[in-house]
Amino acid sequence: MSANKKLLFLPGDGIGPEVMGQVHRVIEWMDRRRHICFDVTEDLVGGAAIDAQGTSLTDETLSAAMSVDAVLLGAVGGPKWDNVARDIRPEAGLLKLRKEMDLFANLRPATVIPALAGASTLKSEFISGLDMLILRELTSGIYFGKPCGISERDDGTSEALDTQRYTSTEIERIVRVGFEIAGKRERVLHSVEKANVMETGVLWRQITSKVSEDYPSIELHHMYADNCAMQLVRAPKQFDVIVTDNLFGDILSDCAAMLTGSLGMLPSASLGNADESGRRMAMYEPVHGSAPDIAGEDSANPLATILSFAMMLQYSFDDSDNADLIKNAVSQVLARGLRTSDIMQDGMKLVSCSQMGEALCMELDRLAA
Ligand code: IPM
Ligand code: MG
């Protein structure tokens, strides 16, 4: 019998602990009904870690994250920590995890579940059947470029500086992942930058064109980021896989999330390269934030986090069967009309975060029967 899979749970702040609580239910279900066992340890990150340990990510938590099979993170941040020093702020902990674990490939699939086609702010004819994936570079670009900072000028005014920097190696490795993923999907890749304005965009385009020679069967389109934002709301179904840099990926993935009805539905996987033994570091997290305004009310949507767990089964444990089972259960509970408040529609049944988790496990029972 194979060893238990080792997971680190980092619930974080705001609604993080509530939505992660529902993943515990799914894990218990997997143990009980599928005999898949996980050893789950839990630790602090973000504001919760600042309060308890004085920093948003301790070295111990980081090394724990690097030694498990996979990490599941809830969300970080909130107004309570708006004034803490920048190097320990909640988001800094998350960025450090991404950087130190070298999780350069961030997969953000945006899929419109049929029952939710009417929940989008876009007309359903434009989004029904949408199934796309944004591949965001996660460990470089303007999020990490040096120099950066705010400084005083001689004339008494101040100046702020961020640096957008990409090496050809960094671009090549993320773009290659893009071609590989597109090859397993609809074989259409949009590479998104602003080569008309930015030097990093020029290099991005050159490298992508070069790499595309190795993937002759994939249809490659270069697109400017502003046009891409517009196309996402004009005709989103033209997209299969979008590969883009850290900042554009952050923005465009929020945009794509809304096409699916709610930010509360979108999972993500952040992956590193596999080492010689085939081991790959990975962290899974919902795309939504900590939603401090509704934290503690048991009203958050747990589905993005549960779907992130499904991505973990697929990418870290090569278990597409159980990943698909969870995805089907999500579609089914929604088809039954259950809705958390973020996706509530007329005539549907409003449920809490924990009720949604419970209903999902009942659905898993039905599907596995
Ligand atoms: C995301 C988030 C993060 C980011 C924040 C919380 C630092 O918006 O994962 O999209 O900007 O990357
Ligand atoms: Mg974001």
Side-chain angles (χ1 to χ4, degrees):
M1 198 169 157
S2 63
N4 289 0
K5 302 172 190 344
K6 291 191 174 32
L7 307 184
L8 176 67
F9 275 26
L10 300 172
D13 308 320
I15 59 170
E18 297 160 47
V19 292
M20 293 280 273
Q22 305 317 308
V23 177
H24 278 293
R25 281 183 203 267
V26 178
I27 289 210
E28 277 158 29
W29 188 91
M30 287 287 160
D31 185 359
R32 193 160 32 85
R33 295 294 309 269
R34 305 297 251 197
H35 308 294
I36 305 173
C37 301
F38 297 90
D39 287 340
V40 182
T41 47
E42 212 162 286
D43 213 332
L44 300 171
V45 72
I50 297 176
D51 290 349
Q53 303 164 329
T55 183
S56 51
L57 181 74
T58 63
D59 291 345
E60 291 73 30
T61 308
L62 176 61
S63 53
M66 295 177 79
S67 66
V68 292
D69 295 317
V71 179
L72 188 70
L73 184 133
V76 295
K80 184 176 174 198
W81 303 282
D82 274 352
N83 297 316
V84 302
R86 283 191 67 73
D87 57 329
I88 62 156
R89 69 193 194 282
E91 291 78 4
L94 174 60
L95 297 185
K96 192 168 171 190
L97 274 167
R98 291 173 177 173
K99 184 74 176 175
E100 296 295 321
M101 294 170 76
D102 200 21
L103 306 174
F104 69 95
N106 180 221
L107 284 61
R108 301 189 159 192
T111 314
V112 172
I113 295 174
L116 282 188
S120 173
T121 43
L122 264 70
K123 293 195 193 89
S124 59
E125 71 217 65
F126 290 100
I127 48 106
S128 64
L130 178 75
D131 178 6
M132 60 173 290
L133 184 142
I134 296 191
L135 177 65
R136 170 188 178 191
E137 197 292 325
L138 203 62
T139 52
S140 186
I142 205 161
Y143 272 59
F144 296 97
K146 296 275 181 330
C148 70
I150 301 177
S151 55
E152 301 301 316
R153 292 158 55 97
D154 294 344
D155 64 2
T157 61
S158 352
E159 137 179 329
L161 175 68
D162 293 293
T163 299
Q164 162 88 335
R165 171 179 286 119
Y166 269 104
T167 66
S168 52
T169 316
E170 289 167 338
I171 298 171
E172 181 172 343
R173 69 176 182 170
I174 188 71
V175 164
R176 276 200 187 277
V177 175
F179 280 104
E180 293 291 332
I181 294 178
K184 294 185 187 128
R185 297 176 46 108
E186 299 300 313
R187 303 187 160 267
V188 182
L189 181 67
H190 283 79
S191 169
V192 171
E193 26 64 5
K194 270 189 76 76
N196 52 344
V197 183
M198 299 168 71
E199 298 303 324
T200 47
V202 173
L203 186 63
W204 188 284
R205 194 171 277 224
Q206 278 170 10
I207 304 280
T208 307
S209 299
K210 182 114 201 317
V211 173
S212 76
E213 291 166 13
D214 295 342
Y215 298 90
S217 69
I218 310 264
E219 188 182 315
L220 171 67
H221 300 269
H222 299 285
M223 191 178 261
Y224 296 141
D226 51 348
N227 182 27
C228 181
M230 186 269 279
Q231 296 296 340
L232 273 172
V233 287
R234 192 189 75 89
K237 284 192 255 182
Q238 71 188 283
F239 296 109
D240 176 25
V241 179
I242 290 176
V243 62
T244 189
D245 77 11
N246 205 341
L247 182 61
F248 293 143
D250 179 47
I251 297 167
L252 296 172
S253 61
D254 268 28
C255 206
M258 272 320 287
L259 303 173
T260 70
S262 167
L263 204 48
M265 291 300 302
L266 236 74
S268 83
S270 306
L271 310 175
N273 264 334
D275 64 16
E276 313 79 57
S277 68
R279 184 175 176 274
R280 175 204 290 284
M281 282 201 246
M283 179 163 77
Y284 300 82
E285 49 178 314
V287 171
H288 64 67
S290 60
D293 50 323
I294 58 162
E297 292 177 2
D298 192 27
S299 65
N301 185 346
L303 296 179
T305 314
I306 291 173
L307 288 168
S308 300
F309 175 70
M311 288 188 88
M312 178 195 287
L313 293 177
Q314 183 178 349
Y315 290 98
S316 285
F317 302 117
D318 201 19
D319 183 359
S320 300
D321 287 351
N322 284 309
D324 288 345
L325 189 72
I326 294 175
K327 284 192 254 177
N328 284 341
V330 167
S331 298
Q332 283 303 319
V333 282
L334 295 170
R336 285 179 196 281
L338 301 194
R339 299 284 188 275
T340 42
S341 56
D342 59 314
I343 45 175
M344 186 56 190
Q345 294 163 276
D346 281 351
M348 300 293 152
K349 182 172 184 320
L350 184 65
V351 294
S352 66
C353 177
S354 47
Q355 285 169 333
M356 185 58 102
E358 207 179 320
L360 187 99
C361 289
M362 281 165 61
E363 205 57 61
L364 285 171
D365 271 335
R366 275 187 212 109
L367 290 172

